[in-house]
Structures are given as C-alpha cells and as structure tokens.
C-alpha cells in the first residue's frame, strides 16, 4: 500500500516554462515519482531512498544519482546540509522536522493550511511548502522551489489517495548503459 499524489507542476529554467503532471508514490521506505509532459510523454522518472535521489530523463538520456542534501547544496549557494529528510516533509510540517542549517519560517494564520518557507541565510534559494490537515495528519498540498532568477519549480496537488495499490513497476527506475550522469 502506498500514498499516491498527483501534482500539476511547472518547471521554469532560463525563462523556458515546462508543465508536467507529477505522480508521486510514497511508502514507508521509498518515494517514487514520474513526470509526464504533453501527450503523456515521459519527462523524467525517479526514486528517493535513504535520502538519495535517482532521476532519469529519457528525452535527453541523462540521469542524476545524488544525496538530496548534495542537490540542495548545489543550488545558488551552499546550504551546508548533511542530510535533508524529504520523506518526512510529506507528513510533518518543517518546523517539526530537524532541518539543520536552514531557517524555517512558519505561517499558521490559517491553522488547517499552514505555509512554510525553508531557506539558508545569504542564499538566493527558498523552498515554500503548504500543507492541509486530514484526520490529524499533515499532507503536502503545494510546493515552490526558487533558486535565483533562472530556476523555479512549483506544484499544486490535484489528487491524493491515502492507501492505494501501486504497481511495483512505478518504483523501478532503469538507467540505460549509455546514459550520461549529471553531477551537480
């Protein structure tokens, strides 16, 4: 059984926007995700396991395989993170998760839809997370990552299934032998 999310997401890099449907499947040990572009074309496929991200981009035959903290450290300035528990942020608000070296600004003006901004002092990047509450549990509803003027990633949850059967194939990411590794 897994949690299944569908986000309407948009990536903007160097003023070039791309919209994708972002499917996320979360179990107690792994997060799998799949980005579908227009006409169902696969934009990327990946997993997060043990705080390490593996993503394959089939249209350009490239992949990355790095700790999540290293990817955040590679943004516009070093975050100084040793670990970034992405999984915990799907069910807990950032102010209740140990996020070393980050400033967490929380806004509980709407108690059932709090908003948080995670940032590093002196850095141009920020991660904004919005939650909603169901049965005493927090659920990620929206996200927005901005890194300087050249990159942003945003998503809004369209659907959520709390306990659903997900085919094992959704958790498999195959990297072809000739794929080029992207290193941040």
């Amino acid at each position: 059984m897994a949690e299944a999310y569908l986000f309407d997401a948009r990536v903007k890099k160097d003023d070039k926007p791309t919209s994708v449907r972002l499917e996320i499947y979360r179990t107690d040990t792994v997060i799998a995700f799949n980005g579908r572009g227009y006409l169902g074309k696969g934009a990327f496929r990946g997993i997060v396991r043990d705080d390490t991200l593996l993503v394959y981009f089939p249209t350009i035959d490239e992949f990355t395989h790095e700790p999540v903290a290293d990817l955040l450290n590679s943004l516009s300035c070093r975050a100084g993170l040793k670990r970034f528990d992405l999984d915990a942020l799907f069910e807990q608000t950032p102010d209740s998760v140990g996020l070393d070296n980050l400033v967490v600004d929380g806004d509980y003006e709407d108690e059932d839809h709090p908003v948080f901004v995670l940032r590093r002092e002196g850095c141009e990047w920020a991660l904004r997370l919005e939650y909603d509450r169901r049965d005493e549990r927090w659920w990620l509803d929206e996200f927005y990552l901005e890194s300087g003027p050249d990159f942003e990633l945003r998503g809004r949850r369209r659907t959520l299934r709390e306990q659903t059967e997900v085919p094992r194939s959704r958790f498999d990411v195959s990297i072809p032998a000739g794929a080029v590794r992207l290193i941040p």
Side-chain angles (χ1 to χ4, degrees):
M1 299 299 267
E3 297 167 0
Y5 298 80
L6 177 61
F7 285 89
D8 291 323
R10 182 178 154 152
V11 177
K12 188 169 134 184
K13 184 173 181 181
D14 300 323
D15 287 328
K16 295 176 186 170
T18 303
S19 295
V20 296
R21 292 289 171 101
L22 178 59
E23 301 168 345
I24 299 176
Y25 306 99
R26 182 178 171 269
T27 70
D28 58 344
T29 59
V30 66
I31 298 172
F33 53 93
N34 182 36
R36 292 180 287 129
Y38 293 109
L39 304 174
K41 187 174 179 182
F44 54 85
R45 184 178 190 101
I47 59 171
V48 177
R49 180 179 286 130
D50 298 325
D51 198 39
T52 299
L53 175 76
L54 171 65
V55 184
Y56 176 59
F57 303 93
T59 56
I60 57 175
D61 201 25
E62 294 178 339
F63 74 99
T64 189
H65 189 207
E66 303 292 331
V68 175
D70 287 358
L71 291 173
L72 288 174
N73 285 334
S74 73
L75 294 175
S76 60
C77 79
R78 294 195 52 83
L81 299 175
K82 294 181 181 86
R83 180 169 165 78
F84 187 81
D85 193 354
L86 182 65
D87 182 59
L89 295 175
F90 274 85
E91 64 182 62
Q92 299 174 48
T93 58
D95 58 350
S96 65
V97 176
L99 298 171
D100 63 327
N101 297 325
L102 292 180
V103 175
V104 177
D105 298 318
D107 178 355
Y108 283 93
E109 188 172 316
D110 182 342
E111 300 179 350
D112 291 326
H113 296 279
V115 177
F116 300 88
V117 176
L118 287 64
R119 59 188 172 79
R120 172 87 167 137
E121 287 292 339
C123 293
E124 292 184 19
W125 68 267
L127 175 61
R128 181 184 177 276
L129 303 171
E130 184 173 333
Y131 292 81
D132 66 354
R133 186 192 326 242
R134 291 187 192 176
D135 302 323
E136 302 304 315
R137 161 125 184 243
W138 295 109
W139 298 89
L140 184 62
D141 190 41
E142 291 185 35
F143 60 87
Y144 176 66
L145 173 64
E146 181 179 34
S147 179
D150 298 330
F151 180 81
E152 68 180 48
L153 167 65
R154 65 177 62 229
R156 176 182 286 261
R157 191 181 69 216
R158 177 181 281 233
T159 61
L160 166 64
R161 293 189 189 151
E162 296 180 28
Q163 292 291 316
T164 189
E165 293 289 329
V166 177
R168 177 142 178 82
S169 62
R170 295 289 190 193
F171 295 91
D172 294 330
V173 178
S174 298
I175 309 296
V180 176
R181 184 172 182 177
L182 301 170
I183 299 174

